[in-house]
Amino acid sequence: MSGEVVWTPTAAQVGASQLTAFARALPALLDGTPWDAPTFAPGDYAALWRWSVAHREAFWTALWRHADVLADVLADDLADVLADDLADDLADDLADDLADGPADRPADRPAWAVAGHGLDRMAPPTPADGPRWFPAARLNFAEHCLRAPDAAVAIVAWDERGRREALTFGALRGEVARVASGLRAVGVVAGDRVAGFVPNGPAAIIAMLAAAAVGATWSSCSPDFGTQGVLDRFGQIAPTVLVACDGYRYAGKVIDTMPRVREIAAALPSLRATVLVPWLATAPPDPDGLPGGVAWATFGDPRAPLAFERLPFDHPLYILYSSGTTGLPKAIVHGAGGTLLQHLKELRLHTDLRPGEALFYFTTCGWMMWNWMVSGLAVGATVVTYDGAPLPAERDVLWRLAAEERVAVFGTSAKYLALAEKEGLTPARTHDLAALRTVLSTGSPLAEHSYDYVLRDVKPGVCLSSISGGTDIVSCFALGNPVGPVRRGELQVLGLGMAVDVWDDDGRPLIGMPGELVCTAPFPSMPVAFWNDPGGAKYRAAYFEHFPGVWRHGDWATRTAEGGLVIHGRSDATLNPGGVRIGTAELYRQVERMPEVVESLVVGQDVVTDGDRDVRIVLFVRLAPGLVLDDALRDRIRATIRTHASPHHVPKVIAQVTDLPRTRSGKITELAVREVIHGRWPKNVEAMANPEALEQFRDRDELGG
């Protein structure tokens, strides 16, 4: 039953959580600031969330102190530093506030009384108007990821064959220092871009941290991208250095990427160096003919000291990309400070990740969950990487990884959990998962039957948290709560400090009814900018045109009376048969629980009936091997949907396909299929992992009338 409580923390778990520790510490954390510190009963997340949203400056300041952020604070010369960005009077006011601060502030505590300016303005940030957080702070993201003890394990890397290697924090620091020296030697300075065409492994993390250490901006693509897909992304940002691999393995196959590497490098005239990582070869790949070609092992000085450039809070750290399935991918710039604060909040408070624990997320370097996972290093956790297919010949390899590496937090996609259930994987009976306490799911709404599967067949008693956010914010709007219950079919809570709501088309808040997911107030991990968008027009159009002054995220969702969230699908993919708006996830939950259906895709087709325009629901299904869609199975599918959803959800057309098109991060792309069935070929199919699958949806007889 949807909404039924399926997991509840014990009193001991609530008391020992980092979330409870943070709430208890608020009086000390806010000592010497202008803000009063309330007290909260253990486990009263709702009250803590309400306070964090109503008093955002106090919340983010307290989080800064709780996370022990390393930063220089500019006080005496703040007005000079800000003078180029701000009106003189505003710069002077900020400098005075910072220098003076509360009279009773401890002498050894930085004056974070100035949390920012323009923090009531929800719009693309500008230096003068904001929103701008912690303008006096100077920090470095990589510095926070590299402060655990030398002997602690930082990275463990796996592929389909098992463990490849492990690095301690001491070894990681040495490698980052070496590669950072190589970047400096070829002239990379703060603000330059370093691009990665690399698999999910140690080299990707080392290169990213080295770029961050020198103040460069990191941007990466998974090596399964085609040449044009990579150039659609990197071609926008003019990288100075390209870090690329010689190949990768997937589903037992060895894929040589060197031809693509040469094409990509040749098309990027901004390159000063191309650094080749030997992911497949035992010997270094040949860098001859590449712009500034050099082998990974010889790039940089292994004796170089580790040095960090401390830069403004909103200095660009990452450039991430929208999926690009409806046009050229949007290049979204994220700042170092906002990314750091959000990820520390989400990993420590919402996930309860601790130093020394192992964090795993099934991801590639082309999905924002890679950036999120790597921030586990800033907690002092061990990051476990995996490169390969989720279900290779050894179907349960990810659960073997979890068992052997004693993973505490296991992250994956909703699709993987659904497929693992259909594969009959039962790690609770086949693997020792004693260390596992949290399973995270994202990428698409988690079906109700997947909650039952995880708590029955993965590990009874595990905390299962479905989380949701996106590339747009490099973090989450809704996520886990270690001090509160998990309800079947729901995301537990809205994120601390995130003024998330659900609105109807007239901008009225809704509880228990579906509507648009919005955020009504600024937060630190808003994009700094879109690349090549100097006036902010693309940024504004992406989030702020539907509801002026409010972030519209593009998800169709319901807030529950208990404080949770249900995601029904993307707003632009919702169905509207007979004027009734339906989220696609509502159909997927019912159809994909049927054993015959491996996965499905649903779209709305525009039709004219008796002279009136309408939308009919079309369902495409990929069936288990050997099965053929017949009328009997169609009837069972319709009966399941009618019984467990509603008559409005029942598709008019059900058709069989052998594959479904998906983005590079594995998400089913409904919009591309909707274009094809209406006779329009989607833009930029290079952004898709398997564009050939679209051919199955073209000119289908079932859709003709």
Side-chain angles (χ1 to χ4, degrees), residues 162-430:
R163 185 191 259 219
R164 285 178 63 112
E165 60 180 308
L167 279 78
T168 64
F169 274 92
L172 179 60
R173 273 189 285 271
E175 281 293 274
V176 171
R178 175 180 67 82
V179 175
S181 76
L183 295 176
R184 290 185 173 104
V186 297
V188 173
V189 296
D192 285 346
R193 278 75 61 204
V194 175
F197 182 63
V198 282
N200 179 20
I205 298 175
I206 292 165
M208 181 278 287
L209 292 174
V214 304
T217 303
W218 172 260
S219 189
S220 56
C221 288
S222 171
D224 60 347
F225 276 50
T227 299
Q228 191 57 51
V230 176
L231 293 176
D232 284 347
R233 290 159 174 80
F234 294 166
Q236 297 184 59
I237 66 171
T240 302
V241 172
L242 174 67
V243 180
C245 64
D246 60 347
Y248 64 98
R249 291 180 173 83
Y250 192 88
K253 299 177 182 177
V254 175
I255 295 93
D256 178 12
T257 58
M258 285 305 298
R260 277 179 286 152
V261 170
R262 295 186 183 282
E263 291 172 349
I264 293 163
L268 295 173
S270 57
L271 290 181
R272 296 178 195 163
T274 306
V275 186
L276 287 181
V277 177
W279 190 248
L280 291 180
T282 53
D286 183 7
D288 286 351
L290 292 170
V294 60
W296 172 257
T298 60
F299 185 64
D301 182 354
R303 300 161 300 177
L306 184 56
F308 302 104
E309 299 292 330
R310 289 188 175 179
L311 296 158
F313 183 88
D314 54 4
H315 181 78
L317 170 69
Y318 292 134
I319 298 175
L320 306 181
Y321 303 93
S322 64
S323 62
T325 53
T326 58
L328 196 67
K330 293 186 287 288
I332 304 171
V333 184
H334 286 292
T339 302
L340 177 68
L341 270 190
Q342 275 280 29
H343 288 183
L344 287 174
K345 179 198 77 176
E346 295 179 350
L347 290 163
R348 291 178 58 167
L349 303 188
H350 286 280
T351 312
D352 209 29
L353 183 69
R354 298 168 186 268
E357 290 189 325
L359 166 67
F360 166 78
Y361 220 106
F362 177 75
T363 183
T364 71
C365 294
W367 188 22
M368 64 134 294
M369 293 312 301
W370 181 84
N371 309 77
W372 192 89
M373 174 188 69
V374 170
S375 290
L377 296 172
V379 177
T382 299
V383 169
V384 182
T385 67
Y386 174 82
D387 181 62
L391 293 165
E394 183 187 352
R395 308 300 269 177
D396 60 353
V397 65
L398 295 187
W399 299 115
R400 179 163 71 89
L401 174 156
E404 293 186 13
E405 302 302 340
R406 297 190 58 76
V407 168
V409 177
F410 180 98
T412 186
S413 65
K415 181 60 65 178
Y416 171 77
L417 293 175
L419 292 175
E421 181 179 9
K422 289 184 180 295
E423 286 281 337
L425 302 184
T426 57
R429 290 181 279 281
T430 57

Side-chain angles (χ1 to χ4, degrees), residues 7-10 13-14 17-20 23 41-49 345-353 437-440 462-467 478-487 490-496 562-565:
W7 179 86
T8 304
T10 65
Q13 288 172 321
V14 171
S17 72
Q18 295 180 83
L19 189 60
T20 296
D44 191 355
Y45 181 87
L48 180 61
W49 177 78
K345 179 198 77 176
E346 295 179 350
L347 290 163
R348 291 178 58 167
L349 303 188
H350 286 280
T351 312
D352 209 29
L353 183 69
R437 55 176 176 74
T438 300
V439 173
L440 302 177
V462 75
C463 177
L464 172 60
S465 295
S466 180
I467 63 178
L479 54 164
N481 173 22
V483 304
V486 174
R487 290 179 168 84
E490 298 180 9
L491 290 76
Q492 282 178 277
V493 292
L494 307 178
L496 290 172
E562 296 79 18
L565 194 73

Side-chain angles (χ1 to χ4, degrees), residues 442-460:
T442 193
S444 59
L446 185 64
E448 292 172 20
H449 64 83
S450 291
Y451 285 78
D452 300 329
Y453 166 67
V454 170
L455 290 164
R456 181 189 63 240
D457 294 332
V458 173
K459 185 178 181 181

